PDB file of all heavy atoms in Angstrom:
ATOM      1  N   LYS A  21       1.033  71.207  24.215  1.00  0.00           N
ATOM      2  CA  LYS A  21       0.322  70.069  23.614  1.00  0.00           C
ATOM      3  C   LYS A  21       0.556  68.755  24.387  1.00  0.00           C
ATOM      4  O   LYS A  21      -0.367  68.057  24.756  1.00  0.00           O
ATOM      5  CB  LYS A  21       0.728  69.868  22.167  1.00  0.00           C
ATOM      6  CG  LYS A  21       0.273  70.970  21.241  1.00  0.00           C
ATOM      7  CD  LYS A  21      -1.166  70.848  20.919  1.00  0.00           C
ATOM      8  CE  LYS A  21      -1.655  71.877  19.906  1.00  0.00           C
ATOM      9  NZ  LYS A  21      -3.084  71.902  19.775  1.00  0.00           N
ATOM     10  N   LYS A 143       7.740  66.868  13.210  1.00  0.00           N
ATOM     11  CA  LYS A 143       8.117  67.610  12.027  1.00  0.00           C
ATOM     12  C   LYS A 143       8.753  68.927  12.470  1.00  0.00           C
ATOM     13  O   LYS A 143       8.475  69.359  13.614  1.00  0.00           O
ATOM     14  CB  LYS A 143       6.876  67.824  11.153  1.00  0.00           C
ATOM     15  CG  LYS A 143       5.904  68.890  11.671  1.00  0.00           C
ATOM     16  CD  LYS A 143       4.837  69.154  10.681  1.00  0.00           C
ATOM     17  CE  LYS A 143       5.063  70.340   9.841  1.00  0.00           C
ATOM     18  NZ  LYS A 143       4.659  71.629  10.434  1.00  0.00           N
ATOM     19  N   HIS A 173       0.542  65.480  13.045  1.00  0.00           N
ATOM     20  CA  HIS A 173      -0.617  65.490  13.945  1.00  0.00           C
ATOM     21  C   HIS A 173      -1.945  65.516  13.201  1.00  0.00           C
ATOM     22  O   HIS A 173      -2.993  65.218  13.773  1.00  0.00           O
ATOM     23  CB  HIS A 173      -0.521  66.643  14.942  1.00  0.00           C
ATOM     24  CG  HIS A 173      -0.856  68.017  14.429  1.00  0.00           C
ATOM     25  ND1 HIS A 173       0.028  68.757  13.712  1.00  0.00           N
ATOM     26  CD2 HIS A 173      -2.018  68.719  14.524  1.00  0.00           C
ATOM     27  CE1 HIS A 173      -0.577  69.891  13.380  1.00  0.00           C
ATOM     28  NE2 HIS A 173      -1.793  69.925  13.873  1.00  0.00           N
ATOM     29  N   TYR A 174      -1.897  65.808  11.872  1.00  0.00           N
ATOM     30  CA  TYR A 174      -3.187  65.748  11.118  1.00  0.00           C
ATOM     31  C   TYR A 174      -3.727  64.336  11.098  1.00  0.00           C
ATOM     32  O   TYR A 174      -4.935  64.137  11.045  1.00  0.00           O
ATOM     33  CB  TYR A 174      -2.979  66.324   9.705  1.00  0.00           C
ATOM     34  CG  TYR A 174      -3.364  67.771   9.662  1.00  0.00           C
ATOM     35  CD1 TYR A 174      -2.730  68.666  10.506  1.00  0.00           C
ATOM     36  CD2 TYR A 174      -4.426  68.229   8.878  1.00  0.00           C
ATOM     37  CE1 TYR A 174      -3.098  70.016  10.546  1.00  0.00           C
ATOM     38  CE2 TYR A 174      -4.822  69.564   8.945  1.00  0.00           C
ATOM     39  CZ  TYR A 174      -4.124  70.411   9.767  1.00  0.00           C
ATOM     40  OH  TYR A 174      -4.545  71.735   9.824  1.00  0.00           O
ATOM     41  N   LYS A 177      -6.174  63.542  13.874  1.00  0.00           N
ATOM     42  CA  LYS A 177      -7.467  64.248  13.987  1.00  0.00           C
ATOM     43  C   LYS A 177      -8.594  63.233  13.736  1.00  0.00           C
ATOM     44  O   LYS A 177      -8.526  62.406  12.829  1.00  0.00           O
ATOM     45  CB  LYS A 177      -7.539  65.391  12.967  1.00  0.00           C
ATOM     46  CG  LYS A 177      -6.587  66.556  13.338  1.00  0.00           C
ATOM     47  CD  LYS A 177      -6.762  67.721  12.403  1.00  0.00           C
ATOM     48  CE  LYS A 177      -5.672  68.765  12.632  1.00  0.00           C
ATOM     49  NZ  LYS A 177      -5.950  69.681  13.711  1.00  0.00           N
ATOM     50  N   VAL A 209      -6.852  73.864   3.720  1.00  0.00           N
ATOM     51  CA  VAL A 209      -6.538  74.051   5.153  1.00  0.00           C
ATOM     52  C   VAL A 209      -6.298  75.542   5.345  1.00  0.00           C
ATOM     53  O   VAL A 209      -5.214  76.039   5.051  1.00  0.00           O
ATOM     54  CB  VAL A 209      -5.331  73.207   5.599  1.00  0.00           C
ATOM     55  CG1 VAL A 209      -5.059  73.481   7.103  1.00  0.00           C
ATOM     56  CG2 VAL A 209      -5.617  71.721   5.381  1.00  0.00           C
ATOM     57  N   GLU A 211      -6.200  78.982   7.722  1.00  0.00           N
ATOM     58  CA  GLU A 211      -5.974  79.410   9.121  1.00  0.00           C
ATOM     59  C   GLU A 211      -6.204  80.932   9.201  1.00  0.00           C
ATOM     60  O   GLU A 211      -5.922  81.645   8.230  1.00  0.00           O
ATOM     61  CB  GLU A 211      -4.531  79.098   9.527  1.00  0.00           C
ATOM     62  CG  GLU A 211      -4.186  77.649   9.508  1.00  0.00           C
ATOM     63  CD  GLU A 211      -2.775  77.445  10.086  1.00  0.00           C
ATOM     64  OE1 GLU A 211      -1.811  77.562   9.334  1.00  0.00           O
ATOM     65  OE2 GLU A 211      -2.673  77.153  11.293  1.00  0.00           O
ATOM     66  N   VAL A 213      -4.776  82.530  11.860  1.00  0.00           N
ATOM     67  CA  VAL A 213      -3.590  83.017  12.561  1.00  0.00           C
ATOM     68  C   VAL A 213      -2.495  83.362  11.534  1.00  0.00           C
ATOM     69  O   VAL A 213      -2.485  82.868  10.435  1.00  0.00           O
ATOM     70  CB  VAL A 213      -3.019  81.946  13.538  1.00  0.00           C
ATOM     71  CG1 VAL A 213      -3.967  81.742  14.685  1.00  0.00           C
ATOM     72  CG2 VAL A 213      -2.728  80.649  12.826  1.00  0.00           C
ATOM     73  N   ARG A 218       6.687  82.514  15.514  1.00  0.00           N
ATOM     74  CA  ARG A 218       7.517  81.493  14.871  1.00  0.00           C
ATOM     75  C   ARG A 218       8.153  81.987  13.580  1.00  0.00           C
ATOM     76  O   ARG A 218       8.553  81.205  12.712  1.00  0.00           O
ATOM     77  CB  ARG A 218       6.672  80.254  14.535  1.00  0.00           C
ATOM     78  CG  ARG A 218       6.047  79.619  15.770  1.00  0.00           C
ATOM     79  CD  ARG A 218       4.910  78.731  15.365  1.00  0.00           C
ATOM     80  NE  ARG A 218       5.358  77.501  14.704  1.00  0.00           N
ATOM     81  CZ  ARG A 218       4.784  77.021  13.608  1.00  0.00           C
ATOM     82  NH1 ARG A 218       3.827  77.658  13.008  1.00  0.00           N
ATOM     83  NH2 ARG A 218       5.232  75.907  13.069  1.00  0.00           N
ATOM     84  N   TYR A 221      11.515  80.420  12.169  1.00  0.00           N
ATOM     85  CA  TYR A 221      11.343  79.079  11.576  1.00  0.00           C
ATOM     86  C   TYR A 221      10.574  79.213  10.268  1.00  0.00           C
ATOM     87  O   TYR A 221      10.973  78.677   9.217  1.00  0.00           O
ATOM     88  CB  TYR A 221      10.648  78.157  12.547  1.00  0.00           C
ATOM     89  CG  TYR A 221       9.796  77.091  11.867  1.00  0.00           C
ATOM     90  CD1 TYR A 221      10.414  75.975  11.282  1.00  0.00           C
ATOM     91  CD2 TYR A 221       8.427  77.238  11.748  1.00  0.00           C
ATOM     92  CE1 TYR A 221       9.639  75.051  10.591  1.00  0.00           C
ATOM     93  CE2 TYR A 221       7.650  76.288  11.058  1.00  0.00           C
ATOM     94  CZ  TYR A 221       8.261  75.205  10.490  1.00  0.00           C
ATOM     95  OH  TYR A 221       7.497  74.286   9.814  1.00  0.00           O
ATOM     96  N   TYR A 222       9.459  79.914  10.339  1.00  0.00           N
ATOM     97  CA  TYR A 222       8.511  79.872   9.232  1.00  0.00           C
ATOM     98  C   TYR A 222       9.100  80.472   7.946  1.00  0.00           C
ATOM     99  O   TYR A 222       8.911  79.971   6.879  1.00  0.00           O
ATOM    100  CB  TYR A 222       7.212  80.630   9.597  1.00  0.00           C
ATOM    101  CG  TYR A 222       6.101  80.334   8.631  1.00  0.00           C
ATOM    102  CD1 TYR A 222       5.247  79.290   8.797  1.00  0.00           C
ATOM    103  CD2 TYR A 222       5.956  81.109   7.454  1.00  0.00           C
ATOM    104  CE1 TYR A 222       4.277  78.998   7.864  1.00  0.00           C
ATOM    105  CE2 TYR A 222       4.999  80.827   6.528  1.00  0.00           C
ATOM    106  CZ  TYR A 222       4.142  79.773   6.710  1.00  0.00           C
ATOM    107  OH  TYR A 222       3.176  79.487   5.813  1.00  0.00           O
ATOM    108  N   ASP A 230       5.902  73.770   5.409  1.00  0.00           N
ATOM    109  CA  ASP A 230       5.264  73.699   6.728  1.00  0.00           C
ATOM    110  C   ASP A 230       3.943  72.917   6.671  1.00  0.00           C
ATOM    111  O   ASP A 230       3.602  72.256   7.621  1.00  0.00           O
ATOM    112  CB  ASP A 230       4.992  75.155   7.178  1.00  0.00           C
ATOM    113  CG  ASP A 230       4.418  75.190   8.597  1.00  0.00           C
ATOM    114  OD1 ASP A 230       5.040  74.602   9.501  1.00  0.00           O
ATOM    115  OD2 ASP A 230       3.366  75.818   8.808  1.00  0.00           O
ATOM    116  N   MET A 231       3.240  72.983   5.561  1.00  0.00           N
ATOM    117  CA  MET A 231       1.917  72.365   5.519  1.00  0.00           C
ATOM    118  C   MET A 231       1.735  71.377   4.375  1.00  0.00           C
ATOM    119  O   MET A 231       1.117  70.311   4.571  1.00  0.00           O
ATOM    120  CB  MET A 231       0.853  73.461   5.364  1.00  0.00           C
ATOM    121  CG  MET A 231       0.740  74.474   6.495  1.00  0.00           C
ATOM    122  SD  MET A 231       0.153  73.740   8.044  1.00  0.00           S
ATOM    123  CE  MET A 231      -1.569  73.447   7.702  1.00  0.00           C
ATOM    124  N   ASN A 234       3.634  67.801   4.255  1.00  0.00           N
ATOM    125  CA  ASN A 234       3.238  66.827   5.280  1.00  0.00           C
ATOM    126  C   ASN A 234       1.706  66.734   5.420  1.00  0.00           C
ATOM    127  O   ASN A 234       1.081  65.802   4.965  1.00  0.00           O
ATOM    128  CB  ASN A 234       3.887  67.193   6.606  1.00  0.00           C
ATOM    129  CG  ASN A 234       3.993  68.698   6.797  1.00  0.00           C
ATOM    130  OD1 ASN A 234       3.034  69.346   7.144  1.00  0.00           O
ATOM    131  ND2 ASN A 234       5.171  69.281   6.482  1.00  0.00           N
ATOM    132  N   HIS A 235       1.070  67.771   6.028  1.00  0.00           N
ATOM    133  CA  HIS A 235      -0.330  67.628   6.365  1.00  0.00           C
ATOM    134  C   HIS A 235      -1.227  67.443   5.127  1.00  0.00           C
ATOM    135  O   HIS A 235      -2.040  66.520   5.073  1.00  0.00           O
ATOM    136  CB  HIS A 235      -0.857  68.851   7.132  1.00  0.00           C
ATOM    137  CG  HIS A 235      -0.086  69.123   8.376  1.00  0.00           C
ATOM    138  ND1 HIS A 235       0.504  68.150   9.170  1.00  0.00           N
ATOM    139  CD2 HIS A 235       0.232  70.313   9.011  1.00  0.00           C
ATOM    140  CE1 HIS A 235       1.126  68.711  10.189  1.00  0.00           C
ATOM    141  NE2 HIS A 235       0.981  69.998  10.117  1.00  0.00           N
ATOM    142  N   LYS A 330      -2.138  81.239   5.761  1.00  0.00           N
ATOM    143  CA  LYS A 330      -2.349  81.901   7.037  1.00  0.00           C
ATOM    144  C   LYS A 330      -3.026  83.223   6.862  1.00  0.00           C
ATOM    145  O   LYS A 330      -3.012  83.775   5.734  1.00  0.00           O
ATOM    146  CB  LYS A 330      -0.980  82.092   7.725  1.00  0.00           C
ATOM    147  CG  LYS A 330      -0.266  80.805   8.001  1.00  0.00           C
ATOM    148  CD  LYS A 330       0.575  80.877   9.234  1.00  0.00           C
ATOM    149  CE  LYS A 330       1.315  79.567   9.517  1.00  0.00           C
ATOM    150  NZ  LYS A 330       0.521  78.606  10.286  1.00  0.00           N
ATOM    151  N   ARG A 335     -10.977  79.988   9.854  1.00  0.00           N
ATOM    152  CA  ARG A 335     -10.254  78.757  10.134  1.00  0.00           C
ATOM    153  C   ARG A 335     -11.161  77.607   9.676  1.00  0.00           C
ATOM    154  O   ARG A 335     -12.253  77.430  10.144  1.00  0.00           O
ATOM    155  CB  ARG A 335     -10.005  78.603  11.631  1.00  0.00           C
ATOM    156  CG  ARG A 335      -9.333  77.276  11.998  1.00  0.00           C
ATOM    157  CD  ARG A 335      -8.884  77.242  13.424  1.00  0.00           C
ATOM    158  NE  ARG A 335      -8.119  76.041  13.719  1.00  0.00           N
ATOM    159  CZ  ARG A 335      -8.597  75.025  14.443  1.00  0.00           C
ATOM    160  NH1 ARG A 335      -9.776  75.091  14.994  1.00  0.00           N
ATOM    161  NH2 ARG A 335      -7.845  73.941  14.644  1.00  0.00           N
ATOM    162  N   SER A 337     -10.812  73.649   7.700  1.00  0.00           N
ATOM    163  CA  SER A 337     -10.101  72.618   6.961  1.00  0.00           C
ATOM    164  C   SER A 337     -11.139  71.672   6.382  1.00  0.00           C
ATOM    165  O   SER A 337     -11.933  71.105   7.125  1.00  0.00           O
ATOM    166  CB  SER A 337      -9.180  71.810   7.854  1.00  0.00           C
ATOM    167  OG  SER A 337      -8.201  72.663   8.401  1.00  0.00           O
ATOM    168  N   GLN A 367     -12.094  70.558  10.618  1.00  0.00           N
ATOM    169  CA  GLN A 367     -12.176  71.484  11.752  1.00  0.00           C
ATOM    170  C   GLN A 367     -12.543  72.880  11.304  1.00  0.00           C
ATOM    171  O   GLN A 367     -12.225  73.198  10.151  1.00  0.00           O
ATOM    172  CB  GLN A 367     -10.808  71.539  12.485  1.00  0.00           C
ATOM    173  CG  GLN A 367      -9.719  72.065  11.577  1.00  0.00           C
ATOM    174  CD  GLN A 367      -8.306  71.869  12.136  1.00  0.00           C
ATOM    175  OE1 GLN A 367      -8.095  70.987  12.962  1.00  0.00           O
ATOM    176  NE2 GLN A 367      -7.374  72.661  11.715  1.00  0.00           N
TER     177      GLN A 367
HETATM  178  C1  LIG B   1       1.652  72.912  12.133  1.00  0.00           C
HETATM  179  C2  LIG B   1       2.254  74.057  11.385  1.00  0.00           C
HETATM  180  O1  LIG B   1       2.236  71.685  11.764  1.00  0.00           O
HETATM  181  O2  LIG B   1       0.262  72.885  11.880  1.00  0.00           O
HETATM  182  C3  LIG B   1       1.582  75.373  11.772  1.00  0.00           C
HETATM  183  O3  LIG B   1       3.655  74.117  11.663  1.00  0.00           O
HETATM  184  C4  LIG B   1       0.107  75.267  11.610  1.00  0.00           C
HETATM  185  O4  LIG B   1       2.108  76.438  10.990  1.00  0.00           O
HETATM  186  C5  LIG B   1      -0.434  74.015  12.312  1.00  0.00           C
HETATM  187  O5  LIG B   1      -0.458  76.413  12.179  1.00  0.00           O
HETATM  188  C6  LIG B   1      -1.918  73.838  12.032  1.00  0.00           C
HETATM  189  O6  LIG B   1      -2.419  72.825  12.840  1.00  0.00           O
HETATM  190  P1  LIG B   1      -3.925  72.775  13.272  1.00  0.00           P
HETATM  191  O7  LIG B   1      -4.063  71.488  14.035  1.00  0.00           O
HETATM  192  O8  LIG B   1      -4.151  73.991  14.115  1.00  0.00           O
HETATM  193  O9  LIG B   1      -4.735  72.832  12.032  1.00  0.00           O
END
Side-chain angles (χ1 to χ4, degrees):
K21 293 283 184 189
K143 74 174 262 277
H173 78 280
Y174 266 58
K177 290 185 190 277
V209 178
E211 298 186 276
V213 292
R218 300 162 70 226
Y221 149 77
Y222 193 90
D230 186 53
M231 297 293 289
N234 36 79
H235 305 326
K330 299 211 180 273
R335 176 170 186 253
S337 300
Q367 61 192 25

